[in-house]
Amino acid sequence: MSARRPFPTDVIRDVAYSTRWHVRSWLRPAKVDRYEGGDERFPTIVPIAGIFERWDFLIPVLDRLHEVGYPICPLPELKRNAGAVRALAAMVLDEIERRGLDEVILLGHSKGGLVAKAVLVLAAKRARAGTSRTTVHGAIAIAAPFAGTRLVDAFADDPELGMFCRTSETTRTLDAYDDVDRRIIAIVPEADEIVSEPGLIEFGRNVIVPLGGHGRVLGDWRTKRAALRAAWILGVEGGNQCVPEPPKLCAPRAADHPLDRERGVVWRRRRVFDMRDWPLRTIDYLWALRAQFASLFLSKRTVRRWEHGRADGATIVLVPGVFERAGFLRSLAEQLRMNGHSVYLVNSLGWNRASLGESARRLERELELRGLDDVIVIAHSKGGLIAKAAMLRPRGDRIRHLIAIATPFAGSKYAQLFADPALRVFSPEHPELRGLARERGVNERITTVQPEFDPHIPTDVEAFALGTLPGAHERIVLPLAGHFRLLDDPRLLEIVTRVIRAQWPGASR
């Protein structure tokens, strides 16, 4: 399912938005020469709209990209994007080559995202055969049904709509070509009334925009900013160093509070301690107190039972956050053990008040004493910083992958309000944290998971849309509020299980 079910207001506003753009496209279609010019050093953006959409349906995002200097090359030959995905992909690539475009980034909405992935597959085949000179750096897919949608199950035999079924040949064929997923950045609305299955790309990078609407997501400023950053990332990864990094500007009034979105408030200025946060904080702290209390009565027999998983299971090490005992992640440990993995705790951290360097040494020593190699570390909050610091130590190769949950890699401004050294380490200006941020060599072995709203780690709009760990293997945003209670959310277990399966191919679950 989608991250959440769309509210009726989401559907109404989305229908109104889409209707307005469809009517405009019929009555006053945009001219192809709308985007003349652009910096020739930049990759060319090729828009691919969804089914029954003209290319000008993407104008809100294209305008923002063109303002920066990206050349835009519409393809009116696609008309309203009807037909088989494979045939459309061949048409797009042929037209790109006919126009002599050297460097291209695809921008697709809905079905256009599927066509964009098919173009990447076809371009890779032609490049291997030496029949194409065009370089397709990657694709930005907005609200694309990569996993299909149950909405069209009743139209499985329809040639146009049947391709979006979850079991259709198109869905299964594209899913098999996961080698191009890393060149796709998916931008997904939090709730999508059209795409019932999440439009996330399994082995790519995903950005969740906190609003509801399949078409309305195109007009949201967070989508435009995320698309701008995504285009820069794909260009740099493709070898184009001419595009300047987008400025990291904070919106003056950021609507980053879940209660605001529920009430329909779009903009507001955020205060350090907002009274509307306290209901969310209270629920979060009550869960943390319960987990902390349960950790005090964790028996050694239970811990030893966790350490003996199946032969085909992964070796998991859990690292808690500050003021959290080793058993704080008990609920997660129980689920992982039920899945057959061997789960180990790091008791030497105590209440986890030591410096990052000392804590990393304790973690490294614990792995050495237990003879643990090639482990997957799952860490919460400060535990993610500790695990990354351990990965940078001489025997950091013992850690195959890190899943960091609600970890303040960029720090938290709230830390400056406390005198306790155990909390001051989270200040963005703290030397240990700044030094850790400069070390990016291990970031590709880190998957970050964070809640949409974290009362302990406030982020500006840019940080929310683009993440705070450059070069991370994957960044996932869970559509919930709270620093602690996401540890007990079933969606977190699904994410952790998927990452473990990808990093540990022998794991059966």
Side-chain angles (χ1 to χ4, degrees), residues 54-351:
R54 274 173 43 92
W55 68 268
D56 50 6
F57 203 80
L58 298 171
I59 276 181
V61 181
L62 295 176
D63 281 350
R64 184 68 187 99
L65 292 167
H66 190 64
E67 288 174 6
V68 177
Y70 285 94
I72 310 293
C73 181
L75 301 179
E77 293 81 6
L78 292 177
K79 298 182 180 178
R80 294 196 176 271
N81 210 6
V85 169
R86 183 178 299 178
L88 291 171
M91 182 190 301
V92 169
L93 191 55
D94 290 343
E95 193 62 29
I96 289 173
E97 293 175 348
R98 187 183 68 80
R99 301 190 183 200
L101 303 180
D102 295 327
E103 297 181 69
V104 167
I105 293 176
L106 306 171
L107 174 67
H109 173 244
S110 193
K111 179 184 178 180
L114 305 183
V115 176
K117 181 173 181 178
V119 171
L120 291 177
V121 174
L122 183 59
K125 291 181 178 179
R126 291 187 182 181
R128 288 193 294 268
T131 59
S132 176
R133 297 182 179 179
T134 300
T135 301
V136 183
H137 291 314
I140 305 169
I142 304 175
F146 289 112
T149 173
R150 63 169 59 92
L151 191 66
V152 298
D153 285 350
F155 305 95
D157 297 330
D158 186 271
E160 289 297 334
L161 300 179
M163 69 179 70
F164 302 117
C165 288
R166 292 166 292 172
T167 57
S168 70
E169 181 182 358
T170 299
T171 301
R172 288 186 285 107
T173 301
L174 287 179
D175 186 61
Y177 288 102
D178 54 15
D179 54 324
V180 301
D181 284 2
R182 295 192 183 280
R183 293 161 57 198
I184 300 176
I185 298 179
I187 302 175
V188 184
E190 182 182 46
D192 194 324
E193 76 280 8
I194 302 297
V195 182
S196 58
E197 305 301 320
L200 306 177
I201 193 76
E202 184 173 2
F203 298 106
R205 286 158 288 189
N206 302 286
V207 177
I208 297 179
V209 179
L211 59 76
H214 183 73
R216 192 164 67 97
V217 67
L218 293 170
D220 192 80
W221 57 270
R222 288 163 291 201
T223 301
K224 300 174 187 177
R225 185 165 292 187
L228 187 62
R229 172 71 66 164
W232 171 74
I233 290 173
L234 293 173
V236 170
E237 291 178 349
N240 189 313
Q241 304 295 330
C242 299
V243 181
E245 182 177 359
K248 294 184 178 181
L249 302 177
C250 298
R253 298 171 293 172
D256 57 352
H257 197 289
L259 296 181
D260 275 347
R261 286 192 294 279
E262 291 176 8
R263 296 166 181 166
V265 178
V266 180
W267 299 95
R268 74 179 178 92
R269 186 177 296 280
R270 180 143 173 81
R271 297 187 292 272
V272 174
F273 288 105
D274 196 312
M275 291 302 296
R276 284 176 289 178
D277 291 347
W278 287 108
L280 300 173
R281 291 177 185 269
T282 301
I283 297 173
D284 202 38
Y285 294 150
L286 287 176
W287 190 95
L289 285 173
R290 188 190 70 174
Q292 200 73 280
F293 184 77
S295 71
L296 297 175
F297 299 94
L298 183 62
S299 67
K300 294 182 179 179
R301 180 179 179 181
T302 300
V303 174
R304 286 195 296 269
R305 177 172 57 84
W306 290 345
E307 296 175 358
H308 300 285
R310 293 198 307 266
D312 61 345
T315 304
I316 309 294
V317 177
L318 301 182
V319 183
V322 66
F323 300 134
E324 298 172 4
R325 293 175 59 83
F328 191 82
L329 305 178
R330 179 174 185 164
S331 60
L332 192 57
E334 289 281 7
Q335 294 293 331
L336 292 171
R337 176 61 185 84
M338 288 175 58
N339 287 350
H341 305 299
S342 302
V343 182
Y344 295 83
L345 305 184
V346 186
N347 294 302
S348 59
L349 291 176
W351 288 94

Side-chain angles (χ1 to χ4, degrees), residues 7-35:
F7 301 130
T9 52
D10 292 330
V11 178
I12 293 172
R13 296 173 69 182
D14 192 54
V15 169
Y17 177 92
S18 299
T19 301
R20 177 168 64 91
W21 277 95
H22 277 300
V23 170
R24 174 178 174 174
S25 178
W26 279 102
L27 301 181
R28 212 174 27 158
K31 297 181 179 180
V32 178
D33 59 358
R34 175 187 178 96
Y35 297 111

Side-chain angles (χ1 to χ4, degrees), residues 16 31 46 49 126 135 138 199 379 383 401 404 417 453 460:
K31 297 181 179 180
V46 176
R126 291 187 182 181
T135 301
H401 198 78
L417 305 177
F453 173 73
D460 59 24

Side-chain angles (χ1 to χ4, degrees), residues 33 99 127 158 334 373-374 400 430 434:
D33 59 358
R99 301 190 183 200
D158 186 271
E334 289 281 7
D373 285 300
D374 209 22
R400 175 189 290 198
H430 195 279
R434 291 173 65 89

